Amino acid sequence: MSSVSHFANDIPKSAFPADQTQGRKSLNWNGIVPGVVLVAMITGVAFSARNVSGFALFSPMILAVVAGMIYANVLGTPAHAKAGIAFSQRRLLRFAIVLLGFQLTLGQVVSIGAGGVGIVAATLGATFIFTITLGRLIGVDAKLAQLIAAGTSICGASAIVATNIVTDARDEDVTYAVASITLFGTVAMLGFPLMAPMLGLDQHAFGLWAGASIHEVAQVIGAGFQNGTQSGEIATVAKLTRVAMLAPMVIALGLMARRKSSDHSAARPPMPWFVAAFVAIVALNSLVTVPAEVKSAMALATTIMLTMGLAAMGLQADISQLRSRGLRPLALAFSAFLFIGCFSLMLVKFA
């Protein structure tokens, strides 16, 4: 990490204008380059770390958050890199969410049947409402509770990022939500396959349960295929169905934010551009046969950009502010984890 720090600090600060505020309409690419280079280096560290024994269980997105936090809180983030970090956190992340659409078709959704789609939708809605309500009852900040609710009920870090574009929570809240979702999603990935025989779940039922309840896409795939090929395929489709529900959820949150705002003209639009683009890509992917090589390239590009965005978030996270949030948000994430696991299992077993 120290070599990255020296590289970023050696770039002349005089090369960049002082005015790099977030509200600028045009991009100053010279000012953005140092931060993007720093983010890219941390992203490279995250991908490389997965080759270390024990780290392969974690997605590069999660490792990038941790690496970014360590860098920022131990070495410090260069001031002239902040514009590029902000660019990675906002624009790259939104574009990555659009590219997620290449991983889903309407045909895949149909393949798990109306019952499967109903289980996924009911679990998502019930978990989101439960988490928001419990967060209000135990005194968790509303924006942080929304991020935890989205990450648990929809698709982990990607949902947290997309939701934050509407909720506009603090960077520390985003990092806290990602960390807690990662923790309990990993517990589910490792523990759920061990529970399948005790619960009497066949491969189809287990795949549906895993896809409807485990947080991250990578965690779902890991748990699903650990229980068999059929389980893995069903789990993946069920999870991607949840990903498709990201769009209506973000639209609903945008409408809620606009309704609560006293200044409607200043409120964020209820239909962010990246949500509309995501839906368009899913439709295109459903109607047109996209070559496997293109899909593979899009999946890699999506992962890289998501990882860069989360590395940028880690670079802006202050651990002291994370500690100030206390244990209540962690208790909320744990409660949401228990709820989504139990509620979806009940539907799979008895619906």
Side-chain angles (χ1 to χ4, degrees):
M1 282 289 191
S2 59
S3 61
V4 179
S5 177
H6 292 153
F7 180 89
N9 282 300
D10 286 343
I11 300 175
K13 297 177 180 60
S14 59
F16 316 116
D19 182 14
Q20 292 181 351
T21 58
Q22 296 178 2
R24 292 183 63 185
K25 296 290 186 181
S26 60
L27 291 176
N28 182 343
W29 290 105
N30 288 333
I32 286 172
V33 168
V36 172
V37 169
L38 176 59
V39 167
M41 287 183 170
I42 290 177
T43 299
V45 169
F47 275 92
S48 299
R50 296 192 73 226
N51 297 319
V52 178
S53 178
F55 286 177
L57 290 174
F58 302 99
S59 73
M61 291 182 283
I62 305 309
L63 296 175
V65 170
V66 175
M69 289 176 63
I70 293 173
Y71 181 98
N73 288 275
V74 175
L75 301 175
T77 304
H80 59 284
K82 291 189 179 297
I85 293 171
F87 172 83
S88 300
Q89 180 179 343
R90 291 173 175 82
R91 304 209 179 196
L92 283 184
L93 276 176
R94 296 181 190 193
F95 191 59
I97 292 167
V98 172
L99 294 185
L100 277 174
F102 280 107
Q103 300 180 31
L104 180 68
T105 66
L106 296 177
Q108 288 174 316
V109 174
V110 171
S111 69
I112 63 172
V117 173
I119 288 173
V120 170
T123 300
L124 188 157
T127 302
F128 196 92
I129 293 171
F130 169 84
T131 308
I132 294 295
T133 303
L134 181 60
R136 188 181 302 117
L137 291 175
I138 66 176
V140 175
D141 178 78
K143 291 183 178 181
L144 178 53
Q146 285 186 355
L147 297 181
I148 293 173
T152 303
S153 63
I154 308 174
C155 55
S158 302
I160 291 170
V161 168
T163 300
N164 191 52
I165 295 172
V166 173
T167 60
D168 197 25
R170 300 187 311 173
D171 291 336
E172 289 77 15
D173 287 350
V174 174
T175 304
Y176 196 121
V178 169
S180 60
I181 292 305
T182 301
L183 171 62
F184 297 119
T186 302
V187 170
M189 177 183 69
L190 298 175
F192 280 18
L194 300 176
M195 297 171 63
M198 294 182 289
L199 296 172
L201 298 175
D202 60 21
Q203 288 208 21
H204 183 277
F206 177 81
L208 190 55
W209 181 43
S213 61
I214 299 178
H215 303 8
E216 287 277 350
V217 173
Q219 293 165 345
V220 168
I221 292 172
F225 281 99
Q226 188 175 333
N227 198 58
T229 301
Q230 184 185 2
S231 282
E233 292 172 350
I234 295 294
T236 302
V237 173
K239 180 61 177 178
L240 291 178
T241 303
R242 283 168 70 191
V243 174
M245 295 176 184
L246 176 64
M249 182 62 72
V250 172
I251 293 171
L253 289 173
L255 289 169
M256 290 169 57
R258 183 166 186 166
R259 188 176 298 115
K260 291 179 181 178
S261 174
S262 58
D263 179 9
H264 291 282
S265 62
R268 290 177 178 271
M271 183 66 166
W273 70 266
F274 73 92
V275 175
F278 170 81
V279 173
I281 292 296
V282 172
L284 175 66
N285 197 33
S286 303
L287 297 172
V288 178
T289 302
V290 179
E293 297 81 3
V294 174
K295 283 190 175 183
S296 178
M298 291 297 101
L300 178 60
T302 301
T303 301
I304 291 173
M305 284 188 287
L306 284 172
T307 304
M308 290 181 70
L310 288 169
M313 286 185 183
L315 283 168
Q316 301 192 74
D318 185 340
I319 290 179
S320 64
Q321 292 191 34
L322 285 175
R323 285 200 301 266
S324 70
R325 286 306 200 189
L327 293 177
R328 288 184 182 182
L330 188 65
L332 177 64
F334 177 64
S335 300
F337 157 68
L338 290 179
F339 180 88
I340 194 170
C342 294
F343 186 85
S344 58
L345 177 62
M346 179 185 68
L347 292 182
V348 168
K349 292 278 287 183
F350 304 112

